[in-house]
Amino acid sequence: MPLLRRVALAAGLALALGPALVQAQPKAAAEKPQYGGSLNIGNVYVTVSPLSPDTADWAWKINQDTGLAYEQLFAADLSKSVRNGGKHPFISDAWLAPDSLRGELAESWKLSPDGLRLDVTLRKGIMFPAKPGVMEARELTAEDVIYSYNRVNASPKKIPGYFDHIAKIEATGKHTLVFTFKQYNAEWDYRFGWGYYSAIVPKEVQETKAKDWKSINGTGPFMIQDYVQSNSMTWTKNPGYWDSEKIGGQSYKLPFVDKITYRYIKDETTFITALRTGKLDLLEAVRWSHVEEMKKSAPKIQWNKYLANGGQFIALRNDTKPFDDIRVRRALNMAVDKNAIIKSYYGGNAEMLAYPMHPNYTGYYEPLKDMPDSVKELFTFNPAKAKALLAEAGYANGFTFKVQTSSSSVEGDLLTMVAAYLAKVGVKMEIETLEYGAYLSAMIKKTNAPGYFMFLGHTNPTTALRKTFVKGQLWNPAQFGDPEIDKKMTEVYAEPDERVRQIKVRLMTRDILDRAVHLWLPTAYVYTGYWPWVKNYGGELRAGAERPGPIHARIWVDQELKKKMGFGN
């Protein structure tokens, strides 16, 4: 039965959902790892400084910012990565295929046949280290999981409906607990297992100093040493960390490096130069336009190419004139030559349709060629029809509207290009650039301008639709809402059969695209660059929702090679 497949997953059985964009490679001969050394890393969002260490603030970047210290019930099984001969690239921002999951703090778990009870057994002997002024060293228990959940669930900042399927969480022993669900939810493992808001934080931190970066203290492989606002976050190894990594048939205690520094650099030229000169050992997101030049100026850098895990678009406020008229929204889509953008702006390094579904989401994704003609029309340059639709809607002479963008964005030239196309059909687009905090706040408070330019992560196949196209959701800058869409979304989450869910999601995606909720734009290919001394790594980006920590903890540095190449300390 379909639901029992989920139970089999929880018991650790492998289920294949189909091939990813990156194909499995033969496993390379393992080198013996070295301990020591340090890593300087520019994360995927290298331009965006940490937001908040407090889980109750529901900051979307918290797992990237604190995931070296705070662990979760589940995480990616990195032994199944493409680099290790598996089929999973572990690139998606919050999508772990069912057969790619492992227990992190959870030793085992079991979902009941009706999908309404989840029993979890925690690993024994996992310790929170001592933190002067915060807490004494002590063992992780079931009460830590319960307290962590209750605190984020009680927060006034929580995403509406996010935990509505959970009735209660109870400890049945020191290391065992039970989740009782009100109804089945297809995202049960993601919502509070390996998702954005699933970090297990000790009560001592949460009760007293949750917003103080210096007080971060988790069970993970690293402990925070220093945080310099808008510049860097430095971590030192946790000598009492519990996990290990098997390399070449031998088990090694983690982590390998002594120190990891996450760098925050707003200027693109500066962070590209930092990679080229070895000041960054690893830069997770490099625009395609820099790569060919860097292959010449720094030929030793290794590259991993991937299709960006998000949609790029201008959200058009569906609750505001003139964008409450679908004819206007469709007109703006047809006024922009998206094929020309792919060719001239991206140099061919982009895909026309990779949002709101990503091609990696096998079974959920439907290519543009298979879409209805009315959807295809939105991706076809037709300025004559755009003008006709505008006239029909009462805007024969065009109109002016404001679009807001973030100072952290590196796509200013793309916006200028879009503005030029719109001007040809009489629509003037005024661009306002905001600091990231103000930009994000405008969307959260629903005070954003009629146009809102953003790159938004997919998350996973079902959340991609829920978070942006369900009424009242946080990441809904178009302020879109339709009772029929909301109803269909509820049905998707209640559906235990993966195959049926895939069909429902494909149909919803067609509907949302056809409504031209946004001015849809192409999705670019991106590169991860890293130097040869970065070992036990192959371009993986996430081991959970926006969480690179377990990946970085497994990297070791060939310090002799680094010195030989002229970059040693």
Side-chain angles (χ1 to χ4, degrees), residues 70-82:
Y70 293 145
E71 296 188 292
Q72 301 178 320
L73 293 177
F74 315 130
D77 184 349
L78 295 169
S79 70
K80 296 180 179 179
S81 67
V82 172

Side-chain angles (χ1 to χ4, degrees), residues 306-542:
Y306 63 95
L307 185 61
N309 292 292
Q312 197 149 240
F313 52 79
I314 297 175
L316 306 173
R317 285 196 67 144
N318 288 214
D319 63 347
T320 303
K321 289 186 179 299
F323 301 131
D324 58 344
D325 191 323
I326 191 173
R327 294 171 295 183
V328 175
R329 302 195 304 269
R330 292 186 69 86
L332 264 58
N333 272 278
M334 286 183 258
V336 176
D337 191 342
K338 297 167 187 178
N339 267 314
I341 287 175
I342 290 175
K343 291 176 183 176
S344 61
Y345 184 79
Y346 289 115
N349 292 277
E351 297 293 340
M352 182 69 80
L353 179 62
Y355 182 83
M357 285 299 113
H358 195 284
N360 268 1
Y361 300 157
T362 305
Y364 294 92
Y365 177 79
E366 186 175 20
L368 185 59
K369 65 180 179 63
D370 296 335
M371 290 282 179
D373 290 342
S374 58
V375 173
K376 292 177 183 176
E377 183 180 49
L378 296 174
F379 295 87
T380 304
F381 184 47
N382 192 341
K385 185 163 185 180
K387 287 182 179 179
L389 281 172
L390 288 171
E392 185 181 314
Y395 299 97
N397 297 320
F399 59 88
T400 299
F401 77 104
K402 180 192 292 184
V403 61
Q404 291 169 325
T405 185
S406 164
S407 58
S408 296
S409 173
V410 294
E411 302 290 1
D413 291 343
L414 174 60
L415 266 185
T416 301
M417 194 173 182
V418 170
Y421 279 118
L422 296 182
K424 291 178 181 179
V425 297
V427 175
K428 182 179 180 182
M429 187 175 86
E430 298 176 341
I431 302 170
E432 178 185 22
T433 302
L434 302 174
E435 286 297 314
Y436 185 76
Y439 165 84
L440 183 62
S441 177
M443 181 192 69
I444 291 172
K445 295 178 180 178
K446 300 179 174 28
T447 59
N448 55 287
Y452 191 84
F453 175 70
M454 75 184 311
F455 175 89
L456 181 63
H458 291 85
T459 307
N460 59 50
T462 44
T463 296
L465 300 184
R466 186 268 305 162
K467 73 175 183 179
T468 307
F469 305 107
V470 167
K471 184 176 178 60
Q473 290 293 296
L474 179 68
W475 298 92
N476 185 356
Q479 310 307 332
F480 174 80
D482 183 279
E484 280 302 308
I485 291 292
D486 296 354
K487 179 182 176 183
K488 290 175 181 177
M489 193 76 251
T490 299
E491 292 172 357
V492 166
Y493 281 126
E495 177 53 62
D497 191 320
E498 182 84 10
R499 296 166 300 177
V500 176
R501 265 203 319 276
Q502 290 170 347
I503 293 169
K504 288 178 180 289
V505 166
R506 291 200 300 269
L507 291 174
M508 281 186 69
T509 302
R510 284 185 173 195
D511 191 6
I512 288 164
L513 286 169
D514 200 26
R515 294 177 190 227
V517 177
H518 302 151
L519 198 172
W520 311 107
L521 294 169
T523 298
Y525 283 95
V526 188
Y527 289 78
T528 293
Y530 54 102
W531 284 92
W533 56 76
V534 175
K535 301 292 186 178
N536 206 35
Y537 180 73
E540 302 87 5
L541 298 178
R542 282 101 168 185

Side-chain angles (χ1 to χ4, degrees), residues 29-75:
E31 297 179 67
K32 185 176 180 179
Q34 301 174 20
Y35 284 96
S38 62
L39 280 169
N40 284 277
I41 297 173
N43 283 322
V44 170
Y45 298 103
V46 65
T47 62
V48 182
S49 296
L51 301 178
S52 170
D54 185 357
T55 54
D57 283 341
W58 285 68
W60 68 270
K61 223 167 122 313
I62 190 167
N63 289 343
Q64 189 176 107
D65 298 334
T66 67
L68 283 168
Y70 293 145
E71 296 188 292
Q72 301 178 320
L73 293 177
F74 315 130

